[in-house]
Amino acid sequence: MRPIPYLLKKIRQYDPKMLLMMLVNALLSAAYPFIWVLVPAAILRNYQVWTRQQLILTVVLAGLGAMLAGFVVAWLKGNYRMRMNNVRYQLIRDLARVSLRMPYENTLLPKTLDQINFAHSSVSNPMLGAGGIILGLLPLSGQILSVLGFSSLLASLSPWILILLVVILISNYLIIDQEARFSESMWQSYRPLGRRHMTLQEVISDPLRKKDILLYNTWEMLRAYLRKYADLRLLQDVKASKKHFQFMSTLTLVDLIRDVLVYGWIIRQFALGLMDASVFTLYTAGLLSFMVVSQQLIKNLVDIQLESKRFQNFIDFTLPLEKQFQEMETVHKQNIASDVIVPEIVIENLTFIYPNTTAPVLEDLNLHIPAGEKLALVGENGAGKSTLIKLLCRLYKPSSGRILINGKDIWDYNEEDYHQLFSAVFQDAMLLPFTLRDNITMATDMDTAAFQLAVERSGLSEVINKLPANEDTYLLRILSDEGVDLSGGERQKLFLARALYKTSSKMLILDEPTAALDPLAEREMYERYAQFTQGKTSIFVSHRLASTRFCDRVAFLKDGKIMELGTHDQLIAQKGEYAELFEIQAKNYRQSASVEKGAPEDV
Amino acid sequence: MSNIRKSFSYFGKSTLLYYLWLFFSSLVSGLSPVLYVYMPKLILDELLSTRQPIILWQYVAILALGALLLNLLRHFANMRFESYSFQALYVLTEKLTEKATAIPYHESESKHTLDLKERATRSLDYLWSLKDVMMTTGSALVTLITSAILILSWKWWLLPLLLGLNLLTIPLLQRLRLLEVDNNERSMPETRAFVYFTEISRDFRYAKDLRLYNGVELMLTRAKASMDKILAVNHEYFTKSGALNGLIMVLVELQSTVVFLILGTALMIRTITVGNFVLIYNAARQFGQVLSVLFEQTRQIMTINLELTSFIKFMALPEIEDFNAENQHEEIVPAVRQAIALARSGQVSLEVRQLSFAYPEQDALILDDLSLSIPSGETVALVGRNGAGKTTLVKLICRLYQPQSGQILLNGVDIAQIPLPEYYRLLSVTFQDFQLMPVLLSENLCGKLQSEQTEDDLEHIRQALRDTEMLSWAEEQKDGIHVPITRLLDEEGAIPSGGQEQKLAIARNICHGGALMILDEPTSALDPRNEEQVFGMMLRLTRGSSSMFVSHRLSSTRYADRIFVLDGGKLIQEGNHSQLMSEDGLYRTMYLAQASQYQDNQ
């Protein structure tokens, strides 16, 4: 779909009054410039025959008309701008909705981020993209009408004038359009440079980086980088400016030709006695106004075109996805709630390759997790544990092979229903800058009983009681001055509470949940684990191999496959890699510590 | 205007050229409307009198060529002016970034500072739009003067009359200003929230959780609430300012009405020629229009000036003392100098005396009258429960915050007395949330640009990489030890894994060469093999020199020379592993809690 029809549709959806305002503005702003072109001409024609009263009447009437038009046009401009923002904010939220609902896999594709960045820039600034188009639409029809009006006035001089005006108008348009395209393509080609400059600026001024910059005194070096980028950008900017100058000069020359010809014609007519002073005034004023308005029109058209191109990215990104969502809603997929009591998972020949890579992260993986089992998933960094979890959660689609839940392929289910089954705590979970309660419930309402239970079981209640507004305390300081930060351990408890709050979940997945917990909190978690996982199937991912003690079985992942599978004791007896890694960790907990690491002699 | 002037003071010497080209551009573009006003009068006069073709064509030629020349000059001047505008923007952005780095750590976390910084960054966009405003103002001013001259050439009293009518708009403009100021203040707190919600579409870190927990609607509901707040504030502003702008237009049109009444009458009673009628009404209209343009532009300049308040305020925030290396020639007391020299030679002893600390804006004491002492050459571990104050203590040692009471002494001297850059040379610290910069590996390690690295530096870098067993990894990368880290700035950058990153951080510590090495939770994200390697590396490299680490992994901290157990902000136990194991305290409880998981008989 094209940007302007799309935006008009959105305007009609979100704020139809704007369309009326556009109409009113068009009529008034088109008529407006004519008033003070016609009045002097009328005076010059009639001053010898009019009475005083007639003069006053004419002028005052015209004046009142101009005042009214002036007032309305000015008032409309402000009001319209505010409404534009309203529409724009809706679009920002639409973009967020689409981005947050699209298949998670899309986040892996660099193309997606690029598209979203473009889409984002077309709605985040009031002057660009959607905002620019909408703001430009207001005066546009008025400008078109004005230009038509003035050109028909001038055309009455002679049909040749009309042809000349049209030709010059078109050539002006072509020149300005050409320039816009040119500068767009220049901008595109050195956008990476601009992006890097901005990224670097953001990185340096990110509060999280500050400690390192201070402690290692790296500011001067970073500043040198900033300057390097700034210098390169300046070179480009100057080049672009020069090109702009060339275009503008061409434009000026073309206008010169027009002005000379039209003026010459007017003078000739006058000299031949074919017009009088009043008409002369009319035409020369008309020419001046025409020049001004046509330039405004062309500039507006070109800007709208430019911003349309930018905004097209928004449409190209959101429309297909929105259609997809609609389709998914109508396709009847099996409702999962009735099918699954406690999930049994079967993974068959699962292979997964990240986009734009060749080596599979998971290769022909097979695993059977009986209903209600507490499985520990262990392996070294980069073995693919998190990837497997994401595949289970339906965040990624397998490259080949499948995952069955109670015998049915997980992709046969409705996505939302399927996600109801899962509570997962990932390593890189983020706090939302809302209240603590919001962070746990992830909804605008709350099940009080479930909330209390979740908060107790996760150990978060101690944390909550220390906070100024308990669970209504805001986290982070983005929305509230009194926002609070949580320590690593407190966060972990909160994320656990969130996972436990979801009473519909039958599958609990914890990815490195104890990394930030102190030894006692860690032990507490393990002790309560049986409690959390009652009636559920669960997967505990960790490389603290001790955590596997309270799980039913251990799956050891390496090179994309499950290399070892069994209870902890079975795997120790096998003396494979699991046993080796376990020993590496365990030996330091023995009374007689070895001297291998160069540690001082122990008692 | 003062903020604009002050902002430009950061731009430096080029400011003069900026203003010069602005002046020239204004002059030239201000003159061309006058050409279009004056020449028609001459032409008309000629047409009504002798009608000599030669003269007519001369006039047309002057008009056409004059316009051409003026326009070309204007575009040229704009081009030069624009390049200075770009420069100004880059320079000021750099200063802003520098300031962000120079603000004391505890200040930089407050919402107020973050809001101000956000606002200051956005105000630089306004500074950019200043160039167009300046050009319009400048040319309007020139046109104003020239059309005033033309008006005066007929009847002197017309000018004050027009001025008087225009001055009626001034109270309206003042009201507009007040509205702007008010609007500005009221929307500032919402800016960061707005930016957050706009960014949500492209910040993929929230993606998994929002999907799995069905939190998308929550996010969008909160987004709408925040944005509606902004719209409400804007609604009031735009409604009132719209009415005021409308009234201003009414006054402008009133002027035109008055002008035509006067001139029309004059024409009727023959006190003005036809040619002058045309000239004067054009000049008067132009005068009126240009005056209102001037008022509007002045208002915009005031708006920009207002927006720049955040920039000026931000730039005026107090900095960390000694941030600029130049101000280092203060008096250093001999005792301090000695302490520094001792540290430089590798001997660092640290003493914490009755330290109490609560985070800004919070009441709870995180450290409560804490005292402990680290003799030189010892490897020390800080353990304790979450929230005991371990990381906070490290931050205080790093002088990121100031204690409410108590002191930290290095080699017997209060660390607050040591000049900050000097102090940081004595420490090598890696925090849990450390991140390498997206620059080259060698630059990360030694803190110098590649072009400034000496042979010695390169040797240090290689040695540090050797010590941390990362040299072969580095040499396998494109450009070897000069490989860019992450792909943020270079598509072919290397992306080290968690374990590799940790080792590189230690390499950085080594390169930095501080006598006191501090590591906060270095292995919490590492798998068993990497954990073993990293810890082993650390212990080996710091043997004999002073180091401190904070960790939950009691299997590793047990090898420290001395272990401090913190609880509730106080030191409750101290000693080496066996001493602490023989006491019936928190340490033993924690250690056994972890160890029991590895015992074969539960």
Side-chain angles (χ1 to χ4, degrees), chain B residues 91-117:
Chain B
V91 168
L92 291 178
T93 312
E94 182 196 291
K95 297 273 177 200
L96 190 70
T97 314
E98 179 172 24
K99 189 69 184 190
T101 322
I103 295 175
Y105 188 78
H106 60 271
E107 283 296 328
S108 61
E109 292 187 314
S110 81
K111 184 172 195 281
H112 172 79
T113 308
L114 289 171
D115 281 336
L116 196 59
K117 174 165 154 263

PDB file of all heavy atoms in Angstrom, chain B residues 91-117:
ATOM      1  N   VAL B  91      30.778  19.277  17.220  1.00  0.00           N
ATOM      2  CA  VAL B  91      31.605  19.687  18.347  1.00  0.00           C
ATOM      3  C   VAL B  91      30.789  19.682  19.640  1.00  0.00           C
ATOM      4  O   VAL B  91      31.232  19.176  20.672  1.00  0.00           O
ATOM      5  CB  VAL B  91      32.203  21.085  18.099  1.00  0.00           C
ATOM      6  CG1 VAL B  91      32.812  21.638  19.375  1.00  0.00           C
ATOM      7  CG2 VAL B  91      33.235  21.030  17.002  1.00  0.00           C
ATOM      8  N   LEU B  92      29.580  20.247  19.564  1.00  0.00           N
ATOM      9  CA  LEU B  92      28.771  20.327  20.776  1.00  0.00           C
ATOM     10  C   LEU B  92      28.337  18.952  21.255  1.00  0.00           C
ATOM     11  O   LEU B  92      28.267  18.693  22.451  1.00  0.00           O
ATOM     12  CB  LEU B  92      27.563  21.229  20.542  1.00  0.00           C
ATOM     13  CG  LEU B  92      27.945  22.690  20.374  1.00  0.00           C
ATOM     14  CD1 LEU B  92      26.724  23.537  20.095  1.00  0.00           C
ATOM     15  CD2 LEU B  92      28.641  23.215  21.612  1.00  0.00           C
ATOM     16  N   THR B  93      28.062  18.045  20.321  1.00  0.00           N
ATOM     17  CA  THR B  93      27.698  16.697  20.732  1.00  0.00           C
ATOM     18  C   THR B  93      28.868  16.029  21.435  1.00  0.00           C
ATOM     19  O   THR B  93      28.693  15.311  22.418  1.00  0.00           O
ATOM     20  CB  THR B  93      27.282  15.846  19.518  1.00  0.00           C
ATOM     21  OG1 THR B  93      26.352  16.589  18.743  1.00  0.00           O
ATOM     22  CG2 THR B  93      26.640  14.552  19.962  1.00  0.00           C
ATOM     23  N   GLU B  94      30.056  16.292  20.923  1.00  0.00           N
ATOM     24  CA  GLU B  94      31.229  15.704  21.559  1.00  0.00           C
ATOM     25  C   GLU B  94      31.380  16.244  22.980  1.00  0.00           C
ATOM     26  O   GLU B  94      31.644  15.484  23.921  1.00  0.00           O
ATOM     27  CB  GLU B  94      32.478  16.019  20.748  1.00  0.00           C
ATOM     28  CG  GLU B  94      33.727  15.395  21.341  1.00  0.00           C
ATOM     29  CD  GLU B  94      34.985  16.017  20.771  1.00  0.00           C
ATOM     30  OE1 GLU B  94      35.239  15.793  19.577  1.00  0.00           O
ATOM     31  OE2 GLU B  94      35.702  16.707  21.515  1.00  0.00           O
ATOM     32  N   LYS B  95      31.170  17.540  23.139  1.00  0.00           N
ATOM     33  CA  LYS B  95      31.291  18.132  24.474  1.00  0.00           C
ATOM     34  C   LYS B  95      30.259  17.530  25.416  1.00  0.00           C
ATOM     35  O   LYS B  95      30.522  17.294  26.589  1.00  0.00           O
ATOM     36  CB  LYS B  95      31.071  19.644  24.405  1.00  0.00           C
ATOM     37  CG  LYS B  95      32.084  20.378  23.573  1.00  0.00           C
ATOM     38  CD  LYS B  95      33.299  20.760  24.381  1.00  0.00           C
ATOM     39  CE  LYS B  95      34.319  21.422  23.484  1.00  0.00           C
ATOM     40  NZ  LYS B  95      35.643  21.418  23.999  1.00  0.00           N
ATOM     41  N   LEU B  96      29.084  17.312  24.883  1.00  0.00           N
ATOM     42  CA  LEU B  96      28.016  16.719  25.689  1.00  0.00           C
ATOM     43  C   LEU B  96      28.431  15.333  26.172  1.00  0.00           C
ATOM     44  O   LEU B  96      28.275  14.982  27.341  1.00  0.00           O
ATOM     45  CB  LEU B  96      26.749  16.628  24.844  1.00  0.00           C
ATOM     46  CG  LEU B  96      25.470  16.254  25.563  1.00  0.00           C
ATOM     47  CD1 LEU B  96      25.044  17.384  26.453  1.00  0.00           C
ATOM     48  CD2 LEU B  96      24.384  15.951  24.550  1.00  0.00           C
ATOM     49  N   THR B  97      28.976  14.547  25.246  1.00  0.00           N
ATOM     50  CA  THR B  97      29.408  13.199  25.608  1.00  0.00           C
ATOM     51  C   THR B  97      30.521  13.258  26.637  1.00  0.00           C
ATOM     52  O   THR B  97      30.544  12.478  27.587  1.00  0.00           O
ATOM     53  CB  THR B  97      29.894  12.449  24.358  1.00  0.00           C
ATOM     54  OG1 THR B  97      28.966  12.641  23.305  1.00  0.00           O
ATOM     55  CG2 THR B  97      30.044  10.974  24.635  1.00  0.00           C
ATOM     56  N   GLU B  98      31.411  14.202  26.440  1.00  0.00           N
ATOM     57  CA  GLU B  98      32.511  14.331  27.391  1.00  0.00           C
ATOM     58  C   GLU B  98      31.977  14.646  28.784  1.00  0.00           C
ATOM     59  O   GLU B  98      32.405  14.089  29.779  1.00  0.00           O
ATOM     60  CB  GLU B  98      33.461  15.435  26.946  1.00  0.00           C
ATOM     61  CG  GLU B  98      34.625  15.641  27.912  1.00  0.00           C
ATOM     62  CD  GLU B  98      35.657  16.613  27.360  1.00  0.00           C
ATOM     63  OE1 GLU B  98      35.297  17.453  26.509  1.00  0.00           O
ATOM     64  OE2 GLU B  98      36.810  16.535  27.784  1.00  0.00           O
ATOM     65  N   LYS B  99      31.005  15.546  28.801  1.00  0.00           N
ATOM     66  CA  LYS B  99      30.429  15.931  30.081  1.00  0.00           C
ATOM     67  C   LYS B  99      29.785  14.739  30.756  1.00  0.00           C
ATOM     68  O   LYS B  99      29.909  14.544  31.958  1.00  0.00           O
ATOM     69  CB  LYS B  99      29.370  17.011  29.846  1.00  0.00           C
ATOM     70  CG  LYS B  99      28.870  17.621  31.115  1.00  0.00           C
ATOM     71  CD  LYS B  99      29.957  18.435  31.754  1.00  0.00           C
ATOM     72  CE  LYS B  99      29.511  18.975  33.087  1.00  0.00           C
ATOM     73  NZ  LYS B  99      30.464  19.952  33.594  1.00  0.00           N
ATOM     74  N   ALA B 100      29.079  13.924  29.969  1.00  0.00           N
ATOM     75  CA  ALA B 100      28.405  12.767  30.544  1.00  0.00           C
ATOM     76  C   ALA B 100      29.409  11.874  31.251  1.00  0.00           C
ATOM     77  O   ALA B 100      29.126  11.286  32.284  1.00  0.00           O
ATOM     78  CB  ALA B 100      27.670  11.994  29.454  1.00  0.00           C
ATOM     79  N   THR B 101      30.590  11.809  30.683  1.00  0.00           N
ATOM     80  CA  THR B 101      31.620  10.975  31.290  1.00  0.00           C
ATOM     81  C   THR B 101      32.219  11.635  32.521  1.00  0.00           C
ATOM     82  O   THR B 101      32.669  10.965  33.437  1.00  0.00           O
ATOM     83  CB  THR B 101      32.753  10.726  30.284  1.00  0.00           C
ATOM     84  OG1 THR B 101      32.199  10.556  28.993  1.00  0.00           O
ATOM     85  CG2 THR B 101      33.536   9.496  30.650  1.00  0.00           C
ATOM     86  N   ALA B 102      32.211  12.961  32.530  1.00  0.00           N
ATOM     87  CA  ALA B 102      32.899  13.666  33.610  1.00  0.00           C
ATOM     88  C   ALA B 102      32.061  13.839  34.867  1.00  0.00           C
ATOM     89  O   ALA B 102      32.574  14.226  35.903  1.00  0.00           O
ATOM     90  CB  ALA B 102      33.357  15.030  33.109  1.00  0.00           C
ATOM     91  N   ILE B 103      30.767  13.587  34.758  1.00  0.00           N
ATOM     92  CA  ILE B 103      29.909  13.775  35.929  1.00  0.00           C
ATOM     93  C   ILE B 103      30.205  12.689  36.957  1.00  0.00           C
ATOM     94  O   ILE B 103      30.375  11.535  36.595  1.00  0.00           O
ATOM     95  CB  ILE B 103      28.430  13.695  35.514  1.00  0.00           C
ATOM     96  CG1 ILE B 103      28.116  14.867  34.595  1.00  0.00           C
ATOM     97  CG2 ILE B 103      27.510  13.730  36.708  1.00  0.00           C
ATOM     98  CD1 ILE B 103      26.733  14.794  34.056  1.00  0.00           C
ATOM     99  N   PRO B 104      30.239  13.077  38.240  1.00  0.00           N
ATOM    100  CA  PRO B 104      30.518  12.065  39.260  1.00  0.00           C
ATOM    101  C   PRO B 104      29.552  10.901  39.151  1.00  0.00           C
ATOM    102  O   PRO B 104      28.381  11.078  38.845  1.00  0.00           O
ATOM    103  CB  PRO B 104      30.305  12.819  40.583  1.00  0.00           C
ATOM    104  CG  PRO B 104      30.467  14.234  40.256  1.00  0.00           C
ATOM    105  CD  PRO B 104      30.089  14.412  38.827  1.00  0.00           C
ATOM    106  N   TYR B 105      30.040   9.741  39.437  1.00  0.00           N
ATOM    107  CA  TYR B 105      29.287   8.513  39.228  1.00  0.00           C
ATOM    108  C   TYR B 105      27.935   8.523  39.917  1.00  0.00           C
ATOM    109  O   TYR B 105      26.914   8.204  39.319  1.00  0.00           O
ATOM    110  CB  TYR B 105      30.117   7.333  39.713  1.00  0.00           C
ATOM    111  CG  TYR B 105      29.508   6.003  39.379  1.00  0.00           C
ATOM    112  CD1 TYR B 105      29.623   5.490  38.098  1.00  0.00           C
ATOM    113  CD2 TYR B 105      28.796   5.284  40.325  1.00  0.00           C
ATOM    114  CE1 TYR B 105      29.056   4.281  37.773  1.00  0.00           C
ATOM    115  CE2 TYR B 105      28.226   4.077  40.007  1.00  0.00           C
ATOM    116  CZ  TYR B 105      28.362   3.580  38.726  1.00  0.00           C
ATOM    117  OH  TYR B 105      27.785   2.380  38.399  1.00  0.00           O
ATOM    118  N   HIS B 106      27.918   8.920  41.188  1.00  0.00           N
ATOM    119  CA  HIS B 106      26.654   8.829  41.917  1.00  0.00           C
ATOM    120  C   HIS B 106      25.622   9.813  41.374  1.00  0.00           C
ATOM    121  O   HIS B 106      24.439   9.597  41.468  1.00  0.00           O
ATOM    122  CB  HIS B 106      26.870   9.040  43.420  1.00  0.00           C
ATOM    123  CG  HIS B 106      27.455  10.384  43.742  1.00  0.00           C
ATOM    124  ND1 HIS B 106      28.813  10.593  43.790  1.00  0.00           N
ATOM    125  CD2 HIS B 106      26.897  11.577  44.014  1.00  0.00           C
ATOM    126  CE1 HIS B 106      29.045  11.854  44.083  1.00  0.00           C
ATOM    127  NE2 HIS B 106      27.904  12.473  44.223  1.00  0.00           N
ATOM    128  N   GLU B 107      26.108  10.909  40.781  1.00  0.00           N
ATOM    129  CA  GLU B 107      25.193  11.871  40.176  1.00  0.00           C
ATOM    130  C   GLU B 107      24.600  11.321  38.897  1.00  0.00           C
ATOM    131  O   GLU B 107      23.448  11.561  38.563  1.00  0.00           O
ATOM    132  CB  GLU B 107      25.960  13.151  39.808  1.00  0.00           C
ATOM    133  CG  GLU B 107      26.258  14.049  40.965  1.00  0.00           C
ATOM    134  CD  GLU B 107      24.998  14.586  41.598  1.00  0.00           C
ATOM    135  OE1 GLU B 107      24.000  14.792  40.890  1.00  0.00           O
ATOM    136  OE2 GLU B 107      25.028  14.770  42.820  1.00  0.00           O
ATOM    137  N   SER B 108      25.429  10.606  38.155  1.00  0.00           N
ATOM    138  CA  SER B 108      24.986  10.217  36.818  1.00  0.00           C
ATOM    139  C   SER B 108      23.865   9.196  36.857  1.00  0.00           C
ATOM    140  O   SER B 108      23.288   8.890  35.831  1.00  0.00           O
ATOM    141  CB  SER B 108      26.161   9.678  36.014  1.00  0.00           C
ATOM    142  OG  SER B 108      26.694   8.546  36.649  1.00  0.00           O
ATOM    143  N   GLU B 109      23.547   8.653  38.033  1.00  0.00           N
ATOM    144  CA  GLU B 109      22.481   7.659  38.092  1.00  0.00           C
ATOM    145  C   GLU B 109      21.137   8.267  38.469  1.00  0.00           C
ATOM    146  O   GLU B 109      20.125   7.600  38.384  1.00  0.00           O
ATOM    147  CB  GLU B 109      22.828   6.592  39.130  1.00  0.00           C
ATOM    148  CG  GLU B 109      24.002   5.740  38.730  1.00  0.00           C
ATOM    149  CD  GLU B 109      24.196   4.603  39.698  1.00  0.00           C
ATOM    150  OE1 GLU B 109      24.149   4.857  40.917  1.00  0.00           O
ATOM    151  OE2 GLU B 109      24.385   3.479  39.244  1.00  0.00           O
ATOM    152  N   SER B 110      21.139   9.507  38.912  1.00  0.00           N
ATOM    153  CA  SER B 110      19.877  10.067  39.397  1.00  0.00           C
ATOM    154  C   SER B 110      18.956  10.369  38.222  1.00  0.00           C
ATOM    155  O   SER B 110      19.404  10.718  37.136  1.00  0.00           O
ATOM    156  CB  SER B 110      20.133  11.343  40.192  1.00  0.00           C
ATOM    157  OG  SER B 110      20.313  12.425  39.309  1.00  0.00           O
ATOM    158  N   LYS B 111      17.674  10.223  38.468  1.00  0.00           N
ATOM    159  CA  LYS B 111      16.703  10.453  37.390  1.00  0.00           C
ATOM    160  C   LYS B 111      16.823  11.881  36.873  1.00  0.00           C
ATOM    161  O   LYS B 111      16.719  12.133  35.681  1.00  0.00           O
ATOM    162  CB  LYS B 111      15.289  10.184  37.900  1.00  0.00           C
ATOM    163  CG  LYS B 111      14.229  10.320  36.801  1.00  0.00           C
ATOM    164  CD  LYS B 111      12.863   9.879  37.255  1.00  0.00           C
ATOM    165  CE  LYS B 111      11.929   9.672  36.087  1.00  0.00           C
ATOM    166  NZ  LYS B 111      11.356  10.875  35.516  1.00  0.00           N
ATOM    167  N   HIS B 112      17.062  12.800  37.793  1.00  0.00           N
ATOM    168  CA  HIS B 112      17.143  14.199  37.389  1.00  0.00           C
ATOM    169  C   HIS B 112      18.256  14.398  36.367  1.00  0.00           C
ATOM    170  O   HIS B 112      18.062  15.022  35.332  1.00  0.00           O
ATOM    171  CB  HIS B 112      17.387  15.073  38.617  1.00  0.00           C
ATOM    172  CG  HIS B 112      17.675  16.486  38.272  1.00  0.00           C
ATOM    173  ND1 HIS B 112      16.690  17.387  37.943  1.00  0.00           N
ATOM    174  CD2 HIS B 112      18.835  17.166  38.151  1.00  0.00           C
ATOM    175  CE1 HIS B 112      17.230  18.551  37.655  1.00  0.00           C
ATOM    176  NE2 HIS B 112      18.536  18.459  37.776  1.00  0.00           N
ATOM    177  N   THR B 113      19.413  13.838  36.670  1.00  0.00           N
ATOM    178  CA  THR B 113      20.535  13.991  35.746  1.00  0.00           C
ATOM    179  C   THR B 113      20.255  13.305  34.423  1.00  0.00           C
ATOM    180  O   THR B 113      20.548  13.840  33.354  1.00  0.00           O
ATOM    181  CB  THR B 113      21.824  13.397  36.348  1.00  0.00           C
ATOM    182  OG1 THR B 113      22.022  13.952  37.634  1.00  0.00           O
ATOM    183  CG2 THR B 113      23.015  13.682  35.469  1.00  0.00           C
ATOM    184  N   LEU B 114      19.678  12.105  34.503  1.00  0.00           N
ATOM    185  CA  LEU B 114      19.394  11.388  33.264  1.00  0.00           C
ATOM    186  C   LEU B 114      18.366  12.142  32.423  1.00  0.00           C
ATOM    187  O   LEU B 114      18.487  12.212  31.200  1.00  0.00           O
ATOM    188  CB  LEU B 114      18.889   9.976  33.589  1.00  0.00           C
ATOM    189  CG  LEU B 114      19.966   9.042  34.136  1.00  0.00           C
ATOM    190  CD1 LEU B 114      19.359   7.751  34.641  1.00  0.00           C
ATOM    191  CD2 LEU B 114      21.003   8.747  33.072  1.00  0.00           C
ATOM    192  N   ASP B 115      17.354  12.703  33.075  1.00  0.00           N
ATOM    193  CA  ASP B 115      16.370  13.497  32.340  1.00  0.00           C
ATOM    194  C   ASP B 115      17.037  14.689  31.687  1.00  0.00           C
ATOM    195  O   ASP B 115      16.784  14.997  30.521  1.00  0.00           O
ATOM    196  CB  ASP B 115      15.271  14.009  33.293  1.00  0.00           C
ATOM    197  CG  ASP B 115      14.249  12.934  33.597  1.00  0.00           C
ATOM    198  OD1 ASP B 115      14.116  12.004  32.781  1.00  0.00           O
ATOM    199  OD2 ASP B 115      13.590  13.027  34.642  1.00  0.00           O
ATOM    200  N   LEU B 116      17.875  15.351  32.457  1.00  0.00           N
ATOM    201  CA  LEU B 116      18.554  16.543  31.947  1.00  0.00           C
ATOM    202  C   LEU B 116      19.419  16.182  30.751  1.00  0.00           C
ATOM    203  O   LEU B 116      19.455  16.880  29.745  1.00  0.00           O
ATOM    204  CB  LEU B 116      19.416  17.154  33.063  1.00  0.00           C
ATOM    205  CG  LEU B 116      19.892  18.576  32.836  1.00  0.00           C
ATOM    206  CD1 LEU B 116      18.711  19.511  32.658  1.00  0.00           C
ATOM    207  CD2 LEU B 116      20.754  19.028  33.998  1.00  0.00           C
ATOM    208  N   LYS B 117      20.096  15.065  30.855  1.00  0.00           N
ATOM    209  CA  LYS B 117      20.971  14.637  29.758  1.00  0.00           C
ATOM    210  C   LYS B 117      20.151  14.348  28.516  1.00  0.00           C
ATOM    211  O   LYS B 117      20.505  14.752  27.407  1.00  0.00           O
ATOM    212  CB  LYS B 117      21.754  13.394  30.184  1.00  0.00           C
ATOM    213  CG  LYS B 117      22.588  12.792  29.079  1.00  0.00           C
ATOM    214  CD  LYS B 117      23.595  11.812  29.641  1.00  0.00           C
ATOM    215  CE  LYS B 117      23.956  10.781  28.610  1.00  0.00           C
ATOM    216  NZ  LYS B 117      23.274   9.523  28.669  1.00  0.00           N
TER     217      LYS B 117
END
